[in-house]
Amino acid sequence: MVAYSSKDLSIDWLNRVLAEKFNNEILEYSTEVIGGGGGVLDELARLKRTYKIDNDAPPTIIAKFSAPVAAAREMAGGMLLYEMEYRFYEELVDEIPIQTPTCYYQSYSRETHEFVILMSDAKGEVADQVVH
């Protein structure tokens, strides 16, 4: 099973997709939703992790999920938004000369338009789309 929302996250899943990348085991984590979640186009969460050993594994990463509301997910999927982001990290990120977050893991389902990407944390703030 792939965690396509912050509610689907688990220690087991995170270790299955990240432990080898960081040469470390995640012992615990907390999730802070930092954007979306109301069915706009995606949900963003900052994951703070505690590891088994002290190495250079990042203490936080960003998890970006498809919209939790099916109608919004269908709309974004119909416009290929999730697929384009997935393919950007899969095919193009190394070809462009701009700084981008490091992608640690991603998955996209064409059938359900569910999407997840785990990436490096830039430690910035997410702008409120209604206010800005």
Side-chain angles (χ1 to χ4, degrees), residues 32-107:
E32 171 192 6
V33 175
I34 58 173
V40 181
L41 291 180
D42 58 35
E43 174 188 11
L44 289 174
R46 179 172 284 119
L47 306 180
K48 297 177 184 174
R49 285 121 5 109
T50 303
Y51 295 98
K52 185 173 186 173
I53 58 175
D54 187 19
N55 67 4
D56 61 352
T60 62
I61 62 171
I62 298 298
K64 182 176 183 180
F65 304 99
S66 50
V69 176
R73 206 169 40 249
E74 279 293 317
M75 181 186 73
M79 294 188 301
L80 304 177
L81 298 179
Y82 304 133
E83 183 173 356
M84 285 189 292
E85 187 163 5
Y86 174 86
R87 291 181 67 199
F88 170 78
Y89 278 102
E90 191 73 19
E91 301 169 11
L92 298 174
V93 71
D94 294 331
E95 305 296 321
I96 60 169
I98 62 171
Q99 185 176 2
T100 58
T102 301
C103 176
Y104 302 124
Y105 172 84
Q106 67 172 348
S107 180

